[in-house]
Amino acid sequence: RRLIYIETQYFSAHVLAETLERRMQSASLPKLEIAIVLNMKAETLKEQAAVGLAQAQLIDRVRKAAAATGHALGIYYSLPACEPGETAEHATYIHSKLMIVDDALLTVGSANCTNRSMSVDTELNCNLEADSADAPLGHSIRKLRGLLLAEHSGGAAIERVEGLVAELDALAAGADRGDAGCACRLRRHPSPTEEERTALALIDPQALPFDPDGVE
């Protein structure tokens, strides 16, 4: 596998983070481009307690794994489109639940990247798999990925694989600096914040009952 694109409301499924860690630690396999688009933060205090801390914990884990192994990992949130002179007051609320692997596999539906969705709740996803990224279905999946990134960045479709994360990072960094001509709406995700790190030093969110990975 060379490319993983995830767009999800929440990212708290430990099995997914552990799978990404194991793949990044496999020295004999090619380096990955991993791009994840999430909400900037939980919408409510309840959601922050239920999945926000677990998400911060897993983001920290995959960030450390990528840094230690040299894989390209970019985690982002997006801002809404604004008129000239306007400033976005809130980040875009991401409600998507989809993953694309190597532009050959697409899964999209109601299953979030949480323990509950993956193991407990009743969810429904549609999975499409092409023979390869060069097959007609693979071309359609790659075009969809490019259009999704265009929607979040506010620019042109981004279909590249090699250097994908570097390009997204550069766009987000340019927007952060306020570079002229850079109207990108993607921003690098801040998690885990200092506040989240403080909470994680006291609480193991995977031990809380809000996002179980099995039926009691």
Side-chain angles (χ1 to χ4, degrees):
R1 303 303 183 190
R2 296 171 54 238
L3 168 72
I4 298 174
Y5 175 73
I6 298 172
E7 190 174 306
T8 183
Q9 185 179 6
Y10 295 115
F11 180 75
S12 63
H14 67 83
V15 66
L16 181 55
E18 289 160 4
T19 300
L20 289 174
E21 283 180 310
R22 286 196 300 271
R23 170 59 180 84
M24 286 189 279
Q25 290 162 357
S26 298
S28 62
L29 297 176
K31 297 298 185 185
L32 288 172
E33 296 278 340
I34 307 171
I36 304 175
V37 180
L38 301 168
N39 285 312
M40 185 181 74
K41 61 182 180 180
E43 190 174 29
T44 66
L45 184 60
K46 178 182 176 181
E47 289 178 346
Q48 177 64 11
V51 293
L53 276 184
Q55 174 173 287
Q57 183 184 61
L58 297 189
I59 286 176
D60 191 39
R61 285 177 58 178
V62 295
R63 285 196 198 279
K64 288 177 178 176
T69 57
H71 291 265
L73 170 68
I75 305 178
Y76 312 94
Y77 69 95
S78 68
L79 297 173
C82 292
E83 296 297 327
E86 289 184 332
T87 301
E89 296 182 3
H90 303 283
T92 306
Y93 187 75
I94 305 294
H95 204 257
S96 312
K97 299 154 181 70
L98 67 90
M99 179 167 62
I100 293 172
V101 180
D102 286 346
D103 291 335
L105 173 68
L106 165 67
T107 180
V108 58
S110 67
N112 231 315
C113 292
T114 63
N115 295 324
R116 289 187 62 96
S117 281
M118 296 292 177
S119 305
V120 179
D121 291 345
T122 301
E123 307 287 1
L124 183 64
N125 267 42
C126 175
N127 299 323
L128 302 174
E129 186 169 8
D131 292 333
S132 73
D134 294 324
L137 178 57
H139 283 291
S140 295
I141 293 174
R142 180 164 55 249
K143 183 177 181 180
L144 171 63
R145 174 173 62 84
L147 291 173
L148 287 169
L149 285 171
E151 179 178 346
H152 288 300
S153 69
I158 305 173
E159 297 185 7
R160 67 186 301 170
V161 175
E162 298 297 332
L164 172 63
V165 170
E167 179 175 352
L168 297 177
D169 278 349
L171 288 171
D176 273 337
R177 292 191 302 266
D179 291 355
C182 184
C184 179
R185 299 202 304 266
L186 278 180
R187 297 293 187 274
R188 289 173 290 192
H189 203 285
S191 191
T193 63
E194 287 304 314
E195 183 180 56
E196 288 169 336
R197 290 185 187 277
T198 299
L200 288 170
L202 302 171
I203 302 169
D204 178 6
Q206 297 294 341
L208 297 176
F210 307 120
D211 188 28
D213 61 359
V215 178
E216 293 184 2

